[in-house]
Structure formats: structure tokens, C-alpha cells
């Protein structure tokens, strides 16, 4: 019973924080015993609630795929979250600042699957074979926790800080580019903020997607044909404020630009 109460309380907190755009103290402040597994259970319930409200699952995102980020919160494996239709913005749509708490932008490679990917033992090569297109992308993350202060179970329960995402207008064949060597520059209002290469994402973005397929298998799930997978931030996320223009420019893949609403 105590466990059920804890799950429901955590679920209601992250749900309301997103809807009411109100930051909350991390869940592990009140429930230090919360585990990663329980975090995923709460995330599942949160997504079920969003689907019951009329939203649709369109894919997944990976988090904590870079060594730098893992070290920042002292964990040594990635995490995932679920992407819903309302999170997807078209390039040119403003990022709706009034709906978000403290958004940050990060550059990513997005995969669009033409085949299901079911673990166990999915490899990076399997991911490349199952991918129809890749897109340059920007993910807008927005932790519901005060000052982005969270532990791994908190972040997972909060759907891994998922908020919005934007795919570049033009799809590419995966064979067009070596993703691990591919360089990227992200600017804010024309000034360079961060630079990186695809190898920052678990050595290769396809390895991150393989990790996800295998992790989902443990939970009785798989990746489905037609889903979009954000493979993880290539660099640290940067803060965005009303009116900011963020551009991520990738070798060979061109660029994706977003403007934050005023
Ligand atoms: Mg991300």
C-alpha cells in the first residue's frame, strides 16, 4: 500500500507540474528510496495518462548518452523517455515559452525507422538497417524539477525531461554520412555556444538506439516501424529565453533552426 501511494503521489506531481508549468522539488527528496525501475513504472503511467487524454506516442528519446552528462549526475547508463505527438514542432513553429518552465535546447540526430526493432541483442548495424532516414534535430528539454536538480529515478519518472522537439526539414539516407565523425555547431542568436561530434553519443548514435531497443525488451516493449528516435544530445543543453534563435548546423546534414516565442 505504501508503495502504491508513493507511485500515485509521484505520478500526480510530475503530471501536474507539466500541465501547470510549475516546477517542483525532486521526488527523491520525499522518497529517497525511489529506484530506477520505479521511475520507469511512473513514466509508463504518465504516458498512459497522456494517451488517455488523447495524445499519441510517436517515438522515444534517449537521455544521458554522453560521458559528461553521466558523470554530472553520477550514473553510468543512459535513460529514455517517450515522445508524444504534441511535443513535435515543425521547423518555423515557435517554441511555446509560455507552456514551459526553464527550457533548454540540445542538438541531436533523429532516426526514423522503417522496420520494428526488437531486443535482445539488437546491434548498431541492425539499427542502421532498420532506419529509413535520419534528420538533424533539436530537442527542447524542460525538467519539471527546480533548477534541473534530479537523480536518475527522478528524471526517468519525469519522462526524461521531454518537452518538445523539432526535426530539420530534409531527411537523409543513413549511408550519406559517417555519424560518429560528423561535426556539429550550435549557435544562439548567431553566437557559437557548443560544438561536438556524433561520437559523443555512446560512440555512435546508432549504438544509443540499439541500447534503447534492448532496454525496452526488458520491459516487454519494442521500437516500431514509423517511430522517431532522438538518439541523445551531442553536446550539453543550452538555456533558451523568449526571442532566442537556436541553430544546430551539422556536417552534410544541413541545419535546423528554432525560435523561442516572445
Ligand atoms: Mg536529448
Amino acid at each position: 500500500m505504501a508503495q502504491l501511494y508513493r507511485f500515485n503521489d509521484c505520478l500526480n506531481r510530475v503530471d501536474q507540474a507539466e500541465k501547470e508549468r510549475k516546477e517542483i522539488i525532486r521526488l527523491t527528496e520525499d522518497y529517497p528510496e525511489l529506484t530506477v525501475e520505479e521511475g520507469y513504472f511512473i513514466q509508463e503511467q504518465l504516458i498512459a495518462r497522456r494517451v488517455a487524454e488523447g495524445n499519441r506516442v510517436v517515438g522515444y528519446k534517449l537521455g544521458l548518452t554522453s560521458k559528461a552528462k553521466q558523470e554530472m549526475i553520477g550514473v553510468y547508463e543512459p535513460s529514455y523517455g517517450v515522445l508524444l505527438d504534441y511535443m513535435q514542432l515543425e521547423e518555423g513553429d515557435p517554441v511555446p515559452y509560455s507552456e514551459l518552465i526553464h527550457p533548454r535546447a540540445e542538438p541531436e540526430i533523429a532516426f526514423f525507422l522503417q522496420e520494428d526493432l526488437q531486443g535482445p541483442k539488437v546491434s548498431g548495424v541492425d539499427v542502421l538497417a532498420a532506419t529509413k532516414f535520419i534528420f538533424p534535430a533539436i530537442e527542447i528539454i524542460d525538467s519539471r524539477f527546480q533548477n534541473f536538480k534530479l537523480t536518475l529515478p527522478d528524471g526517468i519518472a519525469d519522462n526524461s525531461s521531454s518537452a518538445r522537439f523539432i526535426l530539420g526539414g530534409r531527411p537523409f539516407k543513413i549511408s550519406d554520412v559517417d555519424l560518429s565523425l560528423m561535426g556539429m555547431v550550435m549557435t544562439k542568436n548567431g553566437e557559437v555556444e557548443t560544438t561536438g561530434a556524433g561520437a559523443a553519443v555512446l560512440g555512435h548514435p546508432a549504438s544509443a538506439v540499439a541500447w534503447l531497443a534492448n532496454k525496452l525488451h526488458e520491459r516487454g516493449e519494442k521500437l516500431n516501424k514509423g517511430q522517431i528516435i532522438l538518439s541523445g544530445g551531442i553536446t550539453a543543453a543550452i538555456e533558451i529565453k523568449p526571442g532566442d534563435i537556436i541553430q544546430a548546423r551539422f556536417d552534410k546534414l544541413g541545419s535546423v533552426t528554432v525560435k523561442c516565442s516572445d
Side-chain angles (χ1 to χ4, degrees):
M1 283 309 278
Q3 196 187 37
L4 192 60
Y5 175 81
R6 182 166 86 232
F7 288 159
N8 280 326
D9 189 37
C10 290
L11 173 60
N12 289 332
R13 290 187 196 191
V14 289
D15 179 19
Q16 278 167 22
E18 183 184 353
K19 284 186 182 140
E20 294 167 15
R21 193 201 175 205
K22 240 187 228 153
E23 60 184 9
I24 54 176
I25 307 281
R26 62 186 168 90
L27 306 171
T28 49
E29 194 73 31
D30 286 338
Y31 302 113
E33 68 279 29
L34 198 70
T35 65
V36 165
E37 275 310 294
E38 290 173 340
Y40 280 118
F41 179 78
I42 294 163
Q43 182 191 112
E44 260 174 34
Q45 304 302 309
L46 180 68
I47 299 307
R49 200 175 269 195
R50 293 281 176 270
V51 168
E53 289 162 352
N55 303 293
R56 191 168 56 85
V57 172
V58 297
Y60 288 87
K61 56 91 47 104
L62 282 128
L64 301 173
T65 45
S66 77
K67 269 224 164 71
K69 269 204 181 172
Q70 291 182 354
E71 274 161 15
M72 221 165 67
I73 71 166
V75 301
Y76 299 94
E77 72 162 26
S79 60
Y80 67 83
V82 179
L83 300 175
L84 295 157
D85 51 359
Y86 72 87
M87 297 176 183
Q88 185 166 12
L89 303 176
E90 296 297 322
E91 205 175 7
D93 291 347
V95 174
Y97 191 77
S98 63
E99 296 171 15
L100 304 171
I101 298 167
H102 40 203
R104 297 180 181 180
E106 53 187 30
E108 309 225 357
I109 296 295
F111 288 69
F112 181 78
L113 301 180
Q114 60 185 349
E115 305 288 345
D116 293 359
L117 271 172
Q118 181 158 22
K121 296 191 182 156
V122 170
S123 69
V125 173
D126 299 330
V127 171
L128 298 182
T131 299
K132 187 172 172 86
F133 295 121
I134 52 171
F135 293 85
I138 292 176
E139 184 186 16
I140 306 296
I141 54 170
D142 191 33
S143 172
R144 268 54 70 169
F145 302 117
Q146 243 174 34
N147 304 318
F148 271 81
K149 276 216 177 89
L150 50 97
T151 67
L152 186 57
D154 292 302
I156 290 168
D158 183 35
N159 196 21
S160 296
S161 309
S162 301
R164 298 290 185 277
F165 68 97
I166 302 95
L167 304 184
R170 205 183 133 198
F172 289 81
K173 287 274 182 208
I174 195 127
S175 51
D176 289 349
V177 57
D178 181 333
L179 284 181
S180 70
L181 296 178
M182 184 210 56
M184 188 288 314
V185 176
M186 186 163 62
T187 61
K188 177 157 81 175
N189 306 324
E191 303 279 330
V192 173
E193 289 273 329
T194 60
T195 62
V201 184
L202 296 186
H204 192 295
S207 309
V209 179
W211 176 88
L212 173 63
N214 293 323
K215 184 74 182 175
L216 287 174
H217 177 71
E218 291 172 19
R219 306 191 62 78
E221 303 275 345
K222 63 179 168 71
L223 295 174
N224 292 315
K225 177 181 174 177
Q227 286 184 329
I228 297 161
I229 319 297
L230 295 177
S231 59
I234 293 173
T235 68
I238 59 170
E239 239 179 85
I240 56 174
K241 294 286 184 204
D244 282 345
I245 296 173
I246 310 290
Q247 184 180 64
R249 216 162 52 234
F250 296 77
D251 277 350
K252 302 216 172 81
L253 301 184
S255 64
V256 50
T257 306
V258 293
K259 184 174 196 281
C260 189
S261 66
D262 291 316

